[in-house]
Amino acid sequence: MHSHEPAKDMEGNAFAMRLTGNETHLMVDLSAKNVKPHDILLTLKVQNPKNVSTLQAIYISKQKVRKTEEKGMNQMQGLLTSLKKGGCIYYYRTNNLSNKSEDLFFIHPKSLEI
């Protein structure tokens, strides 16, 4: 016996909110084109009106994809990879004795133009 009525729809259900493989692939493609998460969610809902995903599901999926891409990298390696992918201009300096990063400078090309 349950203490509540059965749900009328699956909205808010963690399992139902997960993105399918095709939706994840589309989310990755749109993210690579700098489409905002809100617009990605709208695109998914237009393609599938029964989609009950939320912005949280988009953020979680993006985080999972990013972690998969950065597997085996430390935080600095992940940061430098992201800067490279983003087309940023960057410079870093490490301490020769400790082999630790001491300085990091980066700028996006559009900011450089300004």
Side-chain angles (χ1 to χ4, degrees):
M1 177 122 187
H2 288 282
S3 62
H4 56 83
E5 294 295 317
K8 292 180 180 162
D9 58 28
M10 295 297 285
E11 190 166 342
N13 182 300
F15 181 79
M17 289 187 330
R18 293 184 315 168
L19 299 182
T20 65
N22 290 338
E23 290 171 337
T24 301
H25 184 69
L26 178 60
M27 183 269 309
V28 169
D29 288 344
L30 293 175
S31 293
K33 295 175 183 172
N34 294 323
V35 176
K36 295 178 183 176
H38 178 70
D39 295 329
I40 293 172
L41 182 61
L42 288 176
T43 302
L44 294 175
K45 289 187 180 274
V46 166
Q47 287 188 351
N48 179 8
K50 293 182 181 181
N51 183 315
V52 293
S53 297
T54 61
L55 274 175
Q56 181 183 9
I58 302 295
Y59 291 128
I60 289 170
S61 293
K62 286 179 75 163
Q63 184 179 21
K64 284 181 183 178
V65 168
R66 190 169 39 250
K67 283 194 182 239
T68 302
E69 290 174 349
E70 295 174 356
K71 194 172 188 177
M73 290 188 220
N74 64 33
Q75 289 179 337
M76 185 57 108
Q77 291 169 329
L79 174 62
L80 293 176
T81 300
S82 296
L83 292 173
K84 222 179 270 186
K85 283 183 183 177
C88 291
I89 299 165
Y90 64 92
Y91 169 79
Y92 64 94
R93 187 173 61 181
T94 57
N95 182 316
N96 292 333
L97 298 176
S98 65
N99 201 28
K100 292 185 179 181
S101 299
E102 289 187 342
D103 299 308
L104 172 65
F105 171 81
F106 61 92
I107 187 167
H108 191 275
K110 288 185 182 179
S111 296
L112 187 59
E113 289 175 16
I114 294 172

